[in-house]
Amino acid sequence: MQKKVDIEDLNSIRSESNFKDYSHIKIGNNVQYLFLPRSMSDLVLIFDFASKNKLAIFPIGGGSNVLLGNVKNRVLFLDRKLPKICEINSDEVLVSANYNINSLILKLKKSNLGGLEFLATIPAHIGGIIKMNAGAFGKNISEYLKWIKVLNKKGEIEIIQKEKIEFSYRKSSIIDYILKAAFKLEIKSEEEIDSQINKFRRIREKTQPINFPNLGCIFKNPKGESAGKIIDECGLKGEKFGDAEISQKHANFIINKGNACFDDVKNLIKLIQAKVHAKTGIELELEITVLN
Ligand SMILES: Cc1cc2nc3c(=O)[nH]c(=O)nc-3n(C[C@H](O)[C@H](O)[C@H](O)COP(=O)(O)OP(=O)(O)OC[C@H]3O[C@@H](n4cnc5c(N)ncnc54)[C@H](O)[C@@H]3O)c2cc1C
């Protein structure tokens, strides 16, 4: 009979840190099960533990799009200590899901490969970017994707071709843990890539409150409209709960001005949704994932 994986078997990879240390908005509590796997065999143990105890698995990449409270009865793990790979072959790259997007853009540039510059400066990892179908300036990551290699809930490894995945605005049908991804890129000169990176960086610096911890856009844009503009027109810029504040620079960003906590951000989200609905009838849908 197969031995049941106990929490003691995972002690060496269990994180004792508060999730705040890993969250891009610097908010987080003590999560019940938070792991830092270093290898594929650590991952297998984590998946086994979750399966045997009937707990859902929630991977964390850059932590730039998740707001966590006191998460219980879920198995969370951070991908940052897993091995990183990036193999370039002609105009294609095979990259591990824990690769930071900015490091990838710079590495590809040295091989005269571009296309992903629209994501420059986002503090995210490739897995999170694919899962969220991240995009900006009219482009989405799915346009460059070829296939992904995943670890499914049964602990099996599978390759899923892009055509088998449904991608829409900030959404994908992926339910498994992405281990690696293959992309087809554009051949470009280093100068062209640098100029694109600088162009997008300048726009973000001008329009986003990047000097404060944040989670990017909190809400999805309603069809044909801008959530930031709607929130601004409802007069909500500068509204706050504790140290969480609706940015004066971009109304779809909530910033942490010091010691904001999970409830501060949740209260601000509820306030925005209620006021926008009362004034416009629009129901703003969250882009970030909130787990309490
Ligand atoms: C300053 C700033 C600017 C931003 N600008 C943009 C932008 O222009 N466009 C945009 O789309 N987003 C933007 N974002 C939001 C965010 O960066 C993206 O959603 C990004 O895709 C999240 O990646 P991550 O690695 O941080 O994922 P996380 O926040 O760690 O996780 C996000 C989701 O992906 C899942 N996930 C993570 N890794 C994996 C994996 N390997 N396999 C399966 N699922 C996984 C998580 O479980 C979670 O559901 C911005 C955020 C910030 C802070």
Side-chain angles (χ1 to χ4, degrees):
M1 205 170 71
Q2 211 189 341
K3 182 185 171 289
K4 190 170 185 294
V5 180
D6 293 316
I7 191 65
E8 287 74 35
D9 299 320
L10 296 167
N11 273 347
S12 67
I13 52 164
R14 195 165 183 184
S15 169
E16 296 303 330
S17 306
N18 189 301
F19 185 73
K20 184 177 181 173
D21 299 340
Y22 305 114
S23 133
H24 194 72
I25 195 169
K26 299 284 164 238
I27 292 178
N29 300 321
N30 286 312
V31 169
Q32 186 184 16
Y33 299 123
L34 181 62
F35 299 107
L36 272 162
R38 292 184 206 97
S39 64
M40 195 62 199
S41 48
D42 287 347
L43 269 184
V44 170
L45 267 186
I46 292 171
F47 274 58
D48 232 23
F49 172 75
S51 151
K52 304 269 165 46
N53 293 286
K54 299 195 169 38
L55 299 170
I57 291 173
F58 192 84
I60 311 273
S64 68
N65 216 29
V66 291
L67 178 68
L68 304 188
N70 282 315
V71 184
K72 288 202 168 61
N73 298 322
R74 268 175 206 265
V75 174
L76 272 67
F77 68 90
L78 296 139
D79 68 6
R80 58 197 63 197
K81 294 233 157 109
L82 287 166
K84 286 192 180 70
I85 66 131
C86 178
E87 292 165 9
I88 297 170
N89 188 358
S90 179
D91 62 349
E92 292 185 7
V93 64
L94 177 65
V95 62
S96 55
N98 59 347
Y99 222 88
N100 173 281
I101 182 67
N102 297 293
S103 311
L104 181 63
I105 292 169
L106 294 180
K107 183 152 176 113
L108 292 172
K109 183 180 82 165
K110 293 198 185 111
S111 298
N112 292 113
L113 291 176
L116 305 184
E117 300 84 85
F118 63 99
L119 294 171
T121 78
I122 296 183
H125 296 183
I126 294 302
I129 283 186
I130 298 170
K131 162 79 179 170
M132 299 303 298
N133 191 19
F137 308 108
K139 284 183 165 190
N140 295 314
I141 191 72
S142 55
E143 292 165 40
Y144 293 89
L145 188 70
K146 287 193 73 191
W147 50 264
I148 53 174
K149 189 182 253 192
V150 299
L151 183 63
N152 68 25
K153 307 264 170 315
K154 291 184 223 150
E156 297 160 346
I157 291 177
E158 251 184 279
I159 289 195
I160 309 179
Q161 297 295 331
K162 178 219 184 132
E163 293 69 32
K164 300 267 183 204
I165 307 169
E166 280 172 38
F167 284 106
S168 53
Y169 170 53
R170 303 298 167 265
K171 204 171 165 186
S172 75
S173 59
I174 301 164
I175 52 165
D176 299 317
Y177 176 59
I178 305 163
L179 292 164
K180 289 179 186 168
F183 295 99
K184 188 169 174 65
L185 298 147
E186 295 165 17
I187 293 166
K188 285 184 175 181
S189 69
E190 288 199 38
E191 294 70 33
E192 203 183 338
I193 294 168
D194 272 334
S195 122
Q196 290 282 297
I197 294 173
N198 291 334
K199 181 177 93 180
F200 294 132
R201 179 183 291 128
R202 274 196 296 272
I203 297 175
R204 286 181 191 273
E205 282 169 358
K206 208 171 155 198
T207 59
Q208 299 178 357
I210 50 166
N211 296 332
F212 289 97
N214 68 77
L215 291 173
C217 287
I218 298 290
F219 300 101
K220 292 185 180 182
N221 288 324
K223 221 177 170 91
E225 298 193 69
S226 150
K229 189 160 175 278
I230 296 168
I231 299 167
D232 188 9
E233 285 169 357
C234 288
L236 293 170
K237 272 185 174 173
E239 285 282 342
K240 56 175 100 162
F241 270 97
D243 274 347
E245 184 175 310
I246 301 175
S247 164
Q248 296 279 1
K249 213 168 179 182
H250 192 315
N252 200 8
F253 277 60
I254 291 177
I255 54 174
N256 180 356
K257 293 193 90 173
N259 286 313
C261 66
F262 176 78
D263 284 337
D264 293 334
V265 178
K266 262 199 95 175
N267 285 332
L268 214 40
I269 288 172
K270 278 193 209 148
L271 176 105
I272 296 170
Q273 286 176 318
K275 293 231 166 143
V276 165
H277 187 254
K279 192 158 181 204
T280 65
I282 296 169
E283 291 197 10
L284 287 178
E285 188 192 336
L286 280 178
E287 178 174 322
I288 61 164
T289 303
V290 180
L291 293 185
N292 25 350

